[in-house]
Amino acid sequence: MPSYTVMVATGSQWFAGTDDYIYITLVGTEGCSERTLLDKPFYNDFERGAVDSYDVTVGENLGEMELVKVEKNKYWVHDDWYCKYITVKTPSGDYVEFPCFRWLVDDKEVVLRDGRGTSRLPKDDKTRLEKQHRRKELESRRKTYRWTEWQPGFPMSIDANTHKELPRDIQFDSEKGVDFILNYSKAIENLCVNQFMHMFQSSWNDFADFERIFVRIKNTISEYVMQHWKEDFMFGYQYLNGCNPVMIQKCTKLPEKFPVTHNMVADCLEREMTLEEEIKAGNIYLADYELMEDISPNSTDPCTLQYLAAPICIKTYLSSPLAMFFLSLFLPFILPLLLLILPLFLLLLSYDWMLAKIWVRSSDFHIHQTVTHLLRTHLVSEVFGVAMFRQLPAVHPAYKLLLPHIRFTIAINTKAREQLICEFGIFDKANGTGGGGHVEMIQKAMRSLTFRSLCFPDAIKARGMDSPEDLPYYYYRDDGNRVWDATKSFVWDVVCIYYDSDNTVQKDEEIQAFVKDVCSFGMQDLDCCEFPKSLKTREDLTEYLTVIIFTASAHHAAVNFGQYDWCSWIPNAPPTMRKPPPTQKGVVDVKFIIESLPDRGRSCWHLGAVWALSQFQENELFLGMYPDEHFIEKPVKEAMESFRQRLAEVSSAIKIRNEGKKLPYYYFSPDRIPNSVAV
């Protein structure tokens, strides 16, 4: 009687093994086997990391292998099992691999397609059984991955209130590892600031007091920021290469609400040009925090009033690469005469000027946390992820390409909604936009969230920041473009393997349904979002997939992992302000500034947050790493290897450039870019 050898690989992550009963049924073109229990006497089957082998005997040859049905039944209590893959050796000696890479929970079953040859577009499925399997997989997924609106005006998210309610395949291996309360408390303890964390309403005495909770690590960016935060060059440098390098734009016309004249600033301009001539020459840059206007400040603590502001800054770059002078006006609470008609030498030394910069840094922190980081990486990546699970089957090449870049994203966002940004969550404890202001910010920011703004080169160009000749030393732009180009080249290679023409793209109903689901449901079909509802060409598809991968990996890394570097020195990134901005000059002294900055308790919560958010996940997978072989085709593996080589070249170039720099820029270095949004 014919015999088939079945090799079953169990995952190596925590709790991947099982003691439950595992059954298998082999399905071929000529018939199927009996439902067979996989069990060896006196042997512990399906242990974590194991590959177990079993014989399945059948009455007659099954023909070409098509499917494998795997079932898990309870032994004593339900014991989840992670199956990596199943390999079947046929009586003729051929090996057929059935990729799985998923959890089996409760008394459930999965049906696996064979992984021979290429990944399959809908047009590649010829038999009734293949088409039926494809259809049933998506029907099941759409019931599991449902859209919901967490807050009005937000991007849609997955319909789950807690991490435990998520499908097992997208949960973290260990929920403890992403418990925000636990992680922040651990960070506070490890930073030795736990004695201050409950001291709300208790102000520090002076700037030196902030050093009591500052972990000084020699020769690091955080230490350099602590030493130089008062200096104007440090204030300006962060607009280029700090934690939120997306605010600065070339100024083509002064805003009407910014009544600055040439006479006010003539002594501050290095070249013999008027302010109008400097603007026309492209030498003036602008950072406008208008999104902060009318945002409700945190009022969850009746004992501490908190305040927000919507400043505007204009800047001109001088000859030195790091030397900049900044003209600033803060609306609606400080009039031009406060900062702009003071003599230059007095302006640079005054406490008024110091407090003005602190207010800008606080507003920048809020925009960074809520819009640049949360909305434009976390929430957007979740939209792409949910739509992917709903519309692309596991055999689709786009699913295999995107899956590593969605890893744990929906889980971390669900945990954030459960503990971090929810009502009475951690966000309310320390942030001036807690208690609902952060929700208002995202609702307003959605009006400017367009698909083109997620295309990195387009976003840079839209701000007039694309010329290295006009503005050198903008490493965020330069390194980001390198990673974007490498990613886009890789995606193009993969797209061309499966799509031989634009017509193939247009006729792929699954990829078209995916794109439409993102726009019509994920982005709620907002007129302002301008997300495409269909793709016409291979170039369109390449750009679309590149946006997803780049947003989830490179751009998230660039705006997330520098948080401790730039925000741990609290006067440089205050999470809240406890005094309103002054409306007249000469009233600000050190005491006024200290009483404006966060109290001891909020300072400690802030420090724990930026520390925890800046840490990589345990066993992190970085850009270009694909340990799960969803693709087994040689052309795709060659494209992956070429991608890794190009990324290595980018990392090497960044490392060489950073040598000897006191302020190295490494956030876009591929060896520091995790594959997905998972923290």
Side-chain angles (χ1 to χ4, degrees):
M1 298 178 69
S3 179
Y4 290 77
T5 301
V6 177
M7 288 156 280
V8 182
T10 298
S12 57
Q13 59 266 63
W14 289 106
F15 314 114
T18 186
D19 290 325
D20 281 357
Y21 297 114
I22 304 298
Y23 296 88
I24 195 168
T25 304
L26 307 180
V27 181
T29 56
E30 303 297 327
C32 63
S33 71
E34 296 289 334
R35 179 174 180 263
T36 304
L37 174 65
L38 301 182
D39 182 51
K40 288 189 259 188
F42 310 111
Y43 178 75
N44 200 349
D45 305 279
F46 313 115
E47 287 293 283
R48 174 186 170 204
V51 178
D52 301 314
S53 181
Y54 305 89
D55 291 327
V56 177
T57 303
V58 298
E60 55 186 36
N61 197 296
L62 303 178
E64 291 288 326
M65 292 298 305
E66 289 190 311
L67 302 173
V68 166
K69 181 189 291 186
V70 186
E71 301 173 70
K72 184 179 76 68
N73 290 161
K74 181 173 67 174
Y75 168 65
W76 181 249
V77 293
H78 283 301
D79 190 10
D80 297 347
W81 175 50
Y82 186 87
C83 177
K84 288 181 66 178
Y85 61 84
I86 292 175
T87 302
V88 178
K89 181 183 178 184
T90 68
S92 62
D94 294 331
Y95 288 85
V96 185
E97 188 162 314
F98 294 84
C100 184
F101 301 107
R102 71 187 76 172
W103 288 91
L104 277 74
V105 300
D106 302 329
D107 289 332
K108 296 291 178 65
E109 68 176 43
V110 297
V111 179
L112 307 177
R113 293 273 297 269
D114 76 270
R116 290 178 298 185
T118 61
S119 302
R120 293 187 175 96
L121 300 177
K123 70 179 182 64
D124 298 321
D125 283 344
K126 305 301 183 184
T127 69
R128 180 188 60 82
L129 192 61
E130 290 173 336
K131 294 177 181 179
Q132 183 184 61
H133 177 269
R134 197 174 194 116
R135 185 184 70 254
K136 286 186 175 181
E137 179 184 2
L138 290 180
E139 288 174 352
S140 174
R141 292 248 213 92
R142 287 167 191 150
K143 293 177 181 177
T144 303
Y145 295 86
R146 302 175 305 276
W147 292 114
T148 192
E149 185 181 54
W150 186 68
Q151 291 283 352
F154 271 47
M156 296 287 272
S157 54
I158 196 167
D159 186 9
N161 293 319
T162 66
H163 181 267
K164 291 180 180 179
E165 293 179 15
L166 292 173
R168 185 65 181 89
D169 284 326
I170 61 172
Q171 291 183 21
F172 280 99
D173 297 332
S174 171
E175 187 177 1
K176 183 183 292 186
V178 289
D179 187 298
F180 284 106
I181 296 174
L182 179 63
N183 287 351
Y184 286 18
S185 298
K186 281 185 177 179
I188 289 168
E189 183 177 349
N190 292 339
L191 294 168
C192 302
V193 297
N194 47 314
Q195 69 267 34
F196 301 114
M197 65 181 291
H198 298 297
M199 297 176 67
F200 293 94
Q201 293 89 47
S202 175
S203 295
W204 303 100
N205 295 317
D206 52 37
F207 289 121
D209 259 7
F210 284 102
E211 293 189 46
R212 297 175 64 183
I213 62 167
F214 181 75
V215 178
R216 183 186 288 238
I217 306 172
K218 287 292 184 182
N219 301 316
T220 58
I221 292 175
S222 58
E223 183 189 50
Y224 196 86
V225 170
M226 185 269 290
Q227 294 170 339
H228 298 278
W229 70 279
K230 296 179 184 178
E231 300 170 32
D232 288 333
F233 94 88
M234 174 60 73
F235 177 72
Y237 180 80
Q238 294 175 75
Y239 279 101
L240 297 180
N241 302 310
C243 207
N244 191 34
V246 302
M247 293 301 298
I248 187 172
Q249 59 183 300
K250 185 165 286 187
C251 180
T252 57
K253 179 184 178 182
L254 285 178
E256 293 183 1
K257 59 184 178 182
F258 196 82
V260 180
T261 66
H262 173 72
N263 291 335
M264 290 180 176
V265 300
D267 293 339
C268 307
L269 301 176
E270 185 182 66
R271 295 165 285 264
E272 294 183 359
M273 300 170 65
T274 66
L275 177 59
E276 292 73 19
E277 290 170 339
E278 292 277 12
I279 292 174
K280 189 174 182 180
N283 298 327
I284 302 296
Y285 297 85
L286 174 74
D288 189 348
Y289 297 88
E290 63 178 344
L291 185 129
M292 297 296 299
E293 291 182 15
D294 301 320
I295 297 297
S296 303
N298 192 336
S299 60
T300 58
D301 181 359
C303 298
T304 302
L305 295 178
Q306 299 178 61
Y307 300 89
L308 302 173
I312 304 176
C313 298
I314 63 171
K315 327 165 191 9
T316 180
Y317 285 71
L318 304 183
S319 55
S320 169
L322 295 184
M324 307 167 195
F325 181 71
F326 301 88
L327 315 170
S328 301
L329 171 68
F330 305 92
L331 297 176
F333 47 83
I334 297 182
L335 300 176
L337 77 157
L338 177 59
L339 295 177
L340 297 177
I341 65 173
L342 293 173
L344 178 59
F345 70 90
L346 177 60
L347 184 64
L348 296 177
L349 297 175
S350 70
Y351 288 121
D352 288 331
W353 179 240
M354 181 187 296
L355 181 60
K357 290 188 293 183
I358 288 173
W359 267 105
V360 174
R361 294 299 308 143
S362 182
S363 296
D364 192 81
F365 173 81
H366 295 309
I367 295 284
H368 166 261
Q369 286 288 357
T370 305
V371 180
T372 308
H373 181 211
L374 175 59
L375 172 60
R376 299 182 71 91
T377 63
H378 278 258
L379 301 186
V380 166
S381 292
E382 181 174 4
V383 167
F384 290 127
V386 174
M388 181 198 75
F389 284 115
R390 287 170 52 82
Q391 305 298 344
L392 299 178
V395 296
H396 198 291
Y399 177 91
K400 295 184 179 185
L401 180 66
L402 296 178
L403 187 61
H405 305 287
I406 303 299
R407 178 176 179 257
F408 298 146
T409 298
I410 300 174
I412 194 71
N413 287 358
T414 302
K415 202 68 183 174
R417 289 187 287 268
E418 186 182 349
Q419 291 185 325
L420 186 61
I421 59 174
C422 58
E423 188 176 9
F424 309 120
I426 296 174
F427 208 78
D428 290 356
K429 289 184 179 293
N431 287 299
T433 56
H438 59 303
V439 173
E440 298 170 13
M441 289 177 67
I442 289 180
Q443 291 166 338
K444 289 180 69 174
M446 283 290 288
R447 301 169 194 166
S448 60
L449 175 55
T450 65
F451 179 76
R452 296 251 63 89
S453 71
L454 298 176
C455 301
F456 188 79
D458 291 26
I460 295 290
K461 189 173 184 178
R463 293 189 284 114
M465 304 293 291
D466 51 313
S467 173
E469 292 75 24
D470 291 348
L471 190 66
Y473 311 102
Y474 192 16
Y475 303 132
Y476 165 81
R477 172 200 60 209
D478 300 338
D479 296 354
N481 277 330
R482 291 174 184 167
V483 178
W484 171 273
D485 290 343
T487 305
K488 189 174 183 180
S489 177
F490 165 59
V491 173
W492 172 255
D493 289 343
V494 175
V495 165
C496 289
I497 292 170
Y498 300 101
Y499 297 87
D500 57 4
S501 68
D502 295 342
N503 188 53
T504 312
V505 174
Q506 295 168 21
K507 290 189 174 181
D508 182 352
E509 61 265 25
E510 289 171 350
I511 205 72
Q512 300 296 342
F514 165 58
V515 171
K516 186 175 181 180
D517 207 17
V518 168
C519 180
S520 298
F521 290 93
M523 298 302 295
Q524 302 200 54
D525 210 8
L526 296 174
D527 293 336
C528 57
C529 77
E530 300 174 0
F531 274 60
K533 291 185 178 179
S534 64
L535 301 176
K536 303 296 185 184
T537 67
R538 294 191 296 177
E539 287 79 6
D540 291 343
L541 177 58
T542 297
E543 182 180 63
Y544 197 91
L545 298 176
T546 301
V547 163
I548 298 172
I549 295 172
F550 186 86
T551 299
S553 59
H555 204 243
H556 176 258
V559 301
N560 178 73
F561 291 104
Q563 292 192 68
Y564 189 79
D565 288 345
W566 297 98
C567 303
S568 57
W569 180 248
I570 289 169
N572 188 60
T576 191
M577 299 291 281
R578 295 181 298 135
K579 273 182 174 290
T583 56
Q584 57 183 0
K585 65 178 182 179
V587 300
V588 178
D589 54 16
V590 171
K591 184 174 183 292
F592 188 101
I593 294 176
I594 294 297
E595 290 177 351
S596 297
L597 289 169
D599 56 36
R600 300 182 187 215
R602 288 177 175 84
S603 297
C604 294
W605 273 105
H606 169 81
L607 198 61
V610 298
W611 173 270
L613 289 170
S614 299
Q615 307 307 305
F616 295 121
Q617 285 283 339
E618 186 179 357
N619 302 319
E620 191 72 81
L621 297 177
F622 294 95
L623 192 59
M625 296 172 62
Y626 301 103
D628 291 344
E629 291 194 352
H630 295 280
F631 287 108
I632 63 173
E633 302 93 298
K634 184 178 179 181
V636 182
K637 289 190 173 184
E638 290 174 348
M640 287 179 174
E641 182 57 32
S642 177
F643 184 38
R644 282 189 285 267
Q645 290 176 2
R646 189 164 178 179
L647 292 176
E649 292 171 1
V650 174
S651 295
S652 178
I654 292 174
K655 183 178 180 181
I656 292 171
R657 183 201 62 210
N658 284 337
E659 288 179 356
K661 290 188 181 297
K662 293 181 179 179
L663 285 174
Y665 186 82
Y666 44 72
Y667 308 116
F668 265 130
S669 184
D671 56 356
R672 292 171 173 257
I673 297 175
N675 259 335
S676 62
V677 177
V679 66

